[in-house]
Amino acid sequence: MNKNHLWHPFTQMKDYNNSDPLIIERGEGIKLYDVQGRAYYDGFSSVWLNVHGHNVPELNQAITEQLGLVAHSTLLGMANIPAIELAEKLVAITPVGLNKVFYSDSGATGVEIAIKMAFQYWKNKGVAGKTSFITMNQAYHGDTIGAVSVGAIPLYHDVFRPMLFPSHVIPYPYAYRHEGGETKALEATLAALHNLLETRADEIAALIVEPIVQGASGIIVMPPGCLRQMAAMCRKYGVLLIADEVATGFGRTGAMFACDLEEVSPDLMVVGKGLTGGYLPVAATLASDVVYEAFYADYDEQKTFFHGHSYTGNPLGCAVALASLKLFEERNMLEGVRVKAAFVEQKLAALRHRPHVGEIRQKGLMIGIELVRDKVSREPYDWAEQIGVRTSLRARELGMLTRPLGNVIVFIPPLASSEAELEAMINILAESIISVTEGGSVA
């Protein structure tokens, strides 16, 4: 039945249909169980979004209680209690100045909203010509047309290029793959942004960035100070800053939001994934008062933001998001992430010396392990060798689920993972990497 009808995302179905499909039946804690009863650690948080684990009583109860009241009511011209309460909470925990909340149903739609808001902001202000966007090399912001237009991963995006609006692309500081290392990679990024703003700021509406960690490109971590300097340049040249915190938000980097790590307050910020603890599809685009006020006008001025989604502000999703944020406070999860991140870094240290581990990149509990054919030259494995896929399949055989980004093995465990669970998952990771790249085992 699965092979007959389901078309899986980011999956070559010919390969999938020739493989042994994994079908999940239930979850408990940080483990998932398939229909044969086999248990797997959720080593990538079900695509980077699970926070507290699966089947969490407090989150289950929040949905059940809200279900007894109302499952959904529209936000078009009216409101519901969980959506109001969650908006107030989001404003309280996000960077200062983000006081308005516009809901959607996924990170991609949240990005789409931010792009459209930035575009219309300048039009509403009566500023002509500021219609283009800056993005960063290898950026991923979702799969809707606007989000793909500010995406820059050729494998994902080039086939759609004729459909898209063009964007200016500057390098993301990828120190491992820059001949000058971290310092030169940082300088190249800042110089490219400065040159672009110096010459074309009058036509640029906004810069969109994955702050501190670029996700789908391979968990690339910015050098310290990069985000702060980029934000300062945007302010200087009158260009809006959009922070895509879909992957980095809600404790993943050790701060509630990655922007907090450098005290950056963007004009627009998109959140999703971990917002509901990994339970229901809710996202939000937060805007500053300055942006919001450009849309606040008399009806006949037609400055309304004409955008919306059927399930915007869904009460079930907002209720479970509130419950998730309550657990953050009650369990002091941000401090817990910082402690666990240090533990993970220490446990992964032994892998750094393996002959095919090029670099281990980490910020909080967001980790990417880049595998290379040659450690000295940093020669990558060929795409056709599927080294990341094979390593992830070996991890699955050993009882842990993850999904690679090319030759980068992703380790993004649920934030609630205990140190014992983290150690067990790291042992599986090490065994998988050594088995596939060296043909041996840890023992």
Side-chain angles (χ1 to χ4, degrees), residues 83-125:
I84 295 169
E85 293 178 347
L86 179 59
E88 182 180 31
K89 187 66 178 176
L90 287 173
V91 167
I93 64 174
T94 50
V96 62
L98 295 170
N99 293 324
K100 304 298 179 184
V101 178
F102 196 104
Y103 290 113
S104 59
D105 50 14
S106 72
T109 56
V111 166
E112 205 82 17
I113 289 162
I115 291 169
K116 291 175 71 175
M117 280 181 175
F119 185 94
Q120 189 177 341
Y121 167 81
W122 294 110
K123 183 178 185 299
N124 285 2
K125 294 280 287 184

Side-chain angles (χ1 to χ4, degrees), residues 156-210:
Y156 299 167
H157 302 144
D158 277 2
V159 67
F160 303 110
R161 200 60 61 190
M163 301 171 62
L164 311 177
F165 61 78
S167 295
H168 304 284
V169 180
I170 62 172
Y172 202 94
Y174 188 178
Y176 181 70
R177 290 293 174 189
H178 195 286
E179 60 184 15
E182 182 175 273
T183 300
K184 293 298 182 182
L186 172 61
E187 290 175 356
T189 293
L190 296 177
L193 179 59
H194 177 267
N195 292 339
L196 193 53
L197 293 174
E198 182 72 23
T199 57
R200 309 184 79 164
D202 60 345
E203 65 184 66
I204 295 168
L207 161 69
I208 183 168
V209 60
E210 296 165 81

